[in-house]
């Protein structure tokens, strides 16, 4: 066996090992990491938005929507992880707590979020932080609709 043949066989063997032991897609990788995590299916889900300028009265409509257009997506166009606030069984008052002050408005819907995965993902200073994934930005914006002033 020549040196070139051995190198080619070693390369093919390595390629075969990699394709048989690694997940095939980014979504499969994410699902493997998420095994054992219980999705949030009750309570409210809040997406913060920064509008700027003079704020309206708390709870009144802003005329804008909560965008998901800048979120990272997989090859199928589904969000890999968007920040929202949620709390199993939570209501607006106790789920809004921890939402960063830079957000002067927010959108709120009831869980579960259709066609999405919603899990708790606490961060420092916000125990109600959650991760939203598996949904297209367009579908997320359609469900979260219009924002209200904080």
């Amino acid at each position: 066996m020549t040196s070139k043949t051995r190198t080619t066989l070693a390369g093919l063997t390595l390629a075969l090992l990699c394709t048989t032991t690694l997940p095939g897609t980014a979504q499969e990788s994410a699902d493997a990491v998420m095994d054992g995590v219980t999705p949030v299916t009750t309570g409210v889900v809040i997406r913060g938005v920064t509008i700027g300028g003079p704020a309206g009265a708390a709870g009144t409509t802003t005329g804008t929507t909560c965008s998901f257009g800048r979120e990272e997506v997989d090859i199928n166009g589904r969000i890999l992880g968007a920040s929202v606030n949620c709390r199993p069984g939570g209501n607006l008052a106790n789920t809004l707590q921890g939402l960063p002050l830079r957000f002067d408005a927010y959108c709120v819907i009831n869980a579960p979020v259709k066609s999405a995965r919603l899990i708790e993902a606490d961060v420092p200073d916000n125990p109600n932080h959650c991760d939203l994934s598996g949904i297209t930005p367009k579908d997320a914006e359609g469900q979260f609709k219009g924002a209200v002033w904080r």
Side-chain angles (χ1 to χ4, degrees):
M1 189 180 295
T2 67
S3 173
K4 184 176 181 182
T5 304
R6 280 193 295 267
T7 302
T8 302
L9 286 173
L12 289 172
T13 303
L14 180 60
L16 181 60
L17 285 171
C18 288
T19 58
T20 58
T21 59
L22 295 177
T25 66
Q27 186 60 50
E28 288 173 4
S29 296
D31 289 345
V33 170
M34 303 312 283
D35 284 345
V37 176
T38 304
V40 177
T41 58
T42 61
V44 298
V45 184
I46 299 170
R47 171 75 168 185
V49 62
T50 302
I51 297 173
T60 62
T61 185
T62 66
T64 62
T65 60
C66 288
S67 175
F68 288 83
R70 294 182 129 177
E71 298 297 337
E72 185 178 359
V73 296
D74 66 15
I75 61 172
N76 297 311
R78 299 191 179 281
I79 295 172
L80 291 173
S83 291
V84 294
N85 264 27
C86 74
R87 180 179 184 150
N91 58 40
L92 181 62
N94 64 21
T95 306
L96 195 57
Q97 296 171 4
L99 190 70
L101 294 177
R102 71 178 178 273
F103 299 123
D104 53 5
Y106 60 88
C107 299
V108 61
I109 64 171
N110 290 320
V113 181
K114 295 176 192 148
S115 302
R117 182 176 204 159
L118 181 66
I119 59 166
E120 293 178 276
D122 298 358
V123 295
D125 300 326
N126 188 359
N128 294 331
H129 182 267
C130 292
D131 183 75
L132 179 72
S133 62
I135 187 171
T136 66
K138 182 179 177 183
D139 287 345
E141 289 169 12
Q143 289 184 58
F144 280 82
K145 299 184 177 143
V148 296
W149 291 107
R150 190 169 185 176

